[in-house]
C-alpha cells in the first residue's frame, strides 16, 4: 500500500481517523473526505434519518458487515438509557443494545427476484431507494470500480429524492463519483485491493458514529 511522509492534518480530525491514517498512510489523502462522510451520516442520524447500503458481490458482503457493526454494539456495549429501559421488562432491556439504523439493500430476496424478473434487475436497488428512502437519509453505494450500473441507478434515484449520497470506490471513482455528495476513493484499482481499504474505512466510520451516539 502507498505511503506518505506528510503530517496528518490533525486539529479537527477524530482520533479514530487519525489512528486509521497512521495505520494505513495511503488513506491520508482522503482523510478529509472520510471526515466529511462521517459528518453527513452524523447529521442525518441526529435528524432521525437512516442509512441505506448497497453493493454487489464482495461489496454486498461489506454492506452487510457494515450494517452489523451499526445495528448492535461494535466496540461499546451500548446499554439502553434509563428511559428506554423503563418501557421494557428487565430481562429484555438488559440485553438490548443501542442501534444506528442501517439497511443493507441486498437482503430482500423475495422482492429482488420478483422485481428483477418482472421489471429490471438493474433497477432493483433504485426501486428500494424509491420505496424506503426519505429526504435526509443517506445512501452509501459500494462499488470498487464505481461503475456498477445498479448502484449508480440507486444513487441517481437517491439524489432525486433528497437523500445524501456517499460512494466507496477505487481510485478512479467511475460514474458513481459524479452522483455522490462525497466519494471515498480508495487508493487502489484492483478489486481485492480496493476492498482491503474499504473495510478499515467503514470500521473507522462505525467507531466514530458509535462514539458520537453512545459515548
Amino acid at each position: 500500500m502507498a505511503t506518505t511522509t506528510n503530517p496528518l492534518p490533525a486539529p479537527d480530525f477524530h482520533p479514530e481517523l487519525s489512528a486509521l491514517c497512521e495505520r494505513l498512510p495511503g488513506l491520508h489523502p482522503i482523510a478529509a473526505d472520510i471526515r466529511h462522510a462521517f459528518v453527513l451520516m452524523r447529521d442525518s442520524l441526529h435528524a432521525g434519518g437512516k442509512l441505506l447500503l448497497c453493493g454487489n458481490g464482495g461489496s454486498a458482503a461489506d454492506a452487510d458487515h457494515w450494517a452489523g457493526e451499526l445495528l448492535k454494539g461494535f466496540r461499546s456495549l451500548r446499554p439502553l438509557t434509563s428511559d428506554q429501559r423503563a418501557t421494557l421488562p428487565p430481562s429484555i432491556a438488559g440485553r438490548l443494545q443501542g442501534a444506528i439504523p442501517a439497511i443493507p439493500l441486498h437482503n430482500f430476496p423475495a422482492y429482488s427476484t420478483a422485481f428483477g424478473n418482472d421489471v429490471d434487475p438493474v433497477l432493483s436497488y433504485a426501486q428500494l431507494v424509491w420505496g424506503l428512502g426519505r429526504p435526509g437519509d443517506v445512501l452509501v453505494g459500494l462499488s470498487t470500480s464505481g461503475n456498477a450500473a445498479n448502484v449508480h441507478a440507486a444513487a441517481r434515484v437517491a439524489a432525486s429524492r433528497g437523500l445524501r449520497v456517499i460512494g466507496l470506490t477505487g481510485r478512479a471513482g467511475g460514474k458513481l463519483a459524479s452522483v455522490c455528495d462525497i466519494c471515498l476513493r480508495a487508493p487502489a484499482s484492483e478489486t481485492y485491493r480496493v476492498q482491503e481499504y474499504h473495510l478499515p474505512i467503514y470500521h473507522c466510520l462505525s467507531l466514530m458514529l458509535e462514539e458520537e451516539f453512545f459515548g
Side-chain angles (χ1 to χ4, degrees), residues 5 33 74 90 102 108 131 137 200 214:
T5 57
D33 292 335
F74 182 25
F108 291 83
D137 288 347
F214 305 105

Side-chain angles (χ1 to χ4, degrees), residues 54-145:
C54 65
N56 300 300
S59 294
D62 278 329
D64 218 15
H65 183 167
W66 194 355
E69 312 295 21
L70 297 171
L71 288 165
K72 61 171 185 56
F74 182 25
R75 188 164 62 189
S76 166
L77 294 178
R78 305 184 193 175
L80 301 191
T81 67
S82 57
D83 287 346
Q84 292 168 336
R85 293 168 67 91
T87 66
L88 293 165
S91 60
I92 296 176
R95 295 174 182 268
L96 294 183
Q97 298 178 321
I100 293 170
I103 303 173
L105 296 181
H106 62 278
N107 281 330
F108 291 83
Y111 152 77
S112 62
T113 52
F115 190 85
N117 183 65
D118 298 343
V119 186
D120 185 348
V122 172
L123 297 180
S124 180
Y125 284 151
Q127 177 65 31
L128 283 173
V129 172
W130 186 264
L132 297 175
R134 298 293 180 268
D137 288 347
V138 175
L139 174 72
V140 182
L142 296 91
S143 170
T144 58
S145 68

Side-chain angles (χ1 to χ4, degrees), residues 199-211:
L199 186 146
I201 289 171
Y202 67 72
H203 270 175
C204 179
L205 288 167
S206 297
L207 289 167
M208 294 165 73
L209 290 169
E210 184 170 69
E211 181 173 325

Side-chain angles (χ1 to χ4, degrees), residues 144-207:
T144 58
S145 68
N147 291 317
N150 56 350
V151 176
H152 180 253
R156 292 288 302 271
V157 170
S160 77
R161 294 279 279 173
L163 282 73
R164 310 306 295 270
V165 180
I166 297 170
L168 271 73
T169 71
R171 182 180 285 112
K175 296 187 297 183
L176 182 60
S178 66
V179 191
C180 294
D181 293 284
I182 188 71
C183 185
L184 304 180
R185 304 181 191 218
S189 299
E190 291 182 271
T191 296
Y192 78 95
R193 292 198 65 214
V194 175
Q195 290 170 335
E196 287 174 354
Y197 277 112
H198 281 179
L199 186 146
I201 289 171
Y202 67 72
H203 270 175
C204 179
L205 288 167
S206 297
L207 289 167

